[in-house]
Amino acid sequence: MFVTLSICTMTACSQDTPIVGTSIQLRIGTNTFIASLYDTPTAHAFVGLLPLKVEMYELNGNEKYHYLSIDLPANAAHIGTIHAGDIMLYGDNCLVLFYDSFTTSYRYTPIGHIDDVSGLRETVGSDSIEVDFVGVSTGKSVAEKGKTDNGVWYDIFGREVVSPIAGIYLHNGKKILCLP
């Protein structure tokens, strides 16, 4: 039974596993950040809204949020750990930009991740901010990045991982289940 359940779980994950496919710019004040979006229906729908300038409001000292005027396709999951730079959807219309890392029990739909979060916390500050989402460009997929065995592993959100622990990872273009 466990083997059957594991195979079914892996199959379900493989259909929705996000890969890095598109980059956008986030302009906040005088700073610009590049974010890689995932190849998901949510990210594709989000790209359809660009260019998008929104007022994002402070919440909990770790995130900025904005309620969109339309619903996006959502596939919320328990993320577990939020990373600074994550761009996610809460519910079906709340766009969230995280500027701090923490663990959570909430469910989100991943949209993308800021590639280099240096200075992000300082840039967003503690008040509401205006964020301009622009500049779509196509990038390499995680599978393309991992064609040679360079020892690099990625989590299912396309972020590089130093030491894989229990979970599903991408390595050399393949999904690998690591057990504890």
Side-chain angles (χ1 to χ4, degrees), residues 5-20:
L5 179 60
S6 297
I7 293 170
C8 291
T9 302
M10 286 297 288
T11 303
C13 290
S14 68
Q15 294 171 353
D16 298 324
T17 301
I19 58 173
V20 178

Side-chain angles (χ1 to χ4, degrees), residues 3 10 21 39 42 54-55 80 94 96 112 137 148 156 164 172 174:
V3 173
M10 286 297 288
D39 188 11
T42 308
V54 297
E55 185 80 12
C94 186
V96 185
S137 66
T148 60
I156 62 168
N172 294 327
K174 297 179 182 177

Side-chain angles (χ1 to χ4, degrees), residues 32-139:
T32 300
F33 296 90
I34 303 298
S36 296
L37 299 184
Y38 306 123
D39 188 11
T40 65
T42 308
H44 286 275
F46 181 69
V47 166
L49 300 177
L50 301 182
L52 178 67
K53 185 179 279 192
V54 297
E55 185 80 12
M56 298 192 83
Y57 303 96
E58 174 63 31
L59 184 64
N60 300 324
N62 56 24
E63 65 189 82
K64 303 292 185 183
Y65 72 94
H66 174 83
Y67 282 97
L68 301 168
S69 59
I70 65 166
D71 293 346
L72 298 180
N75 187 13
H78 291 284
I79 301 300
T81 301
I82 300 288
H83 297 277
D86 282 346
I87 303 166
M88 300 207 196
L89 187 68
Y90 179 74
D92 54 13
N93 68 348
C94 186
L95 179 64
V96 185
L97 169 61
F98 293 95
Y99 60 88
D100 207 358
S101 299
F102 61 98
T103 58
T104 183
S105 61
Y106 288 99
R107 296 169 55 95
Y108 295 94
T109 303
I111 295 174
H113 184 80
I114 293 176
D115 299 340
D116 180 1
V117 296
S118 302
L120 178 63
R121 177 179 254 295
E122 296 76 22
T123 298
V124 300
S126 59
D127 296 321
S128 62
I129 57 169
E130 187 172 87
V131 180
D132 198 7
F133 294 88
V134 294
V136 180
S137 66
T138 302

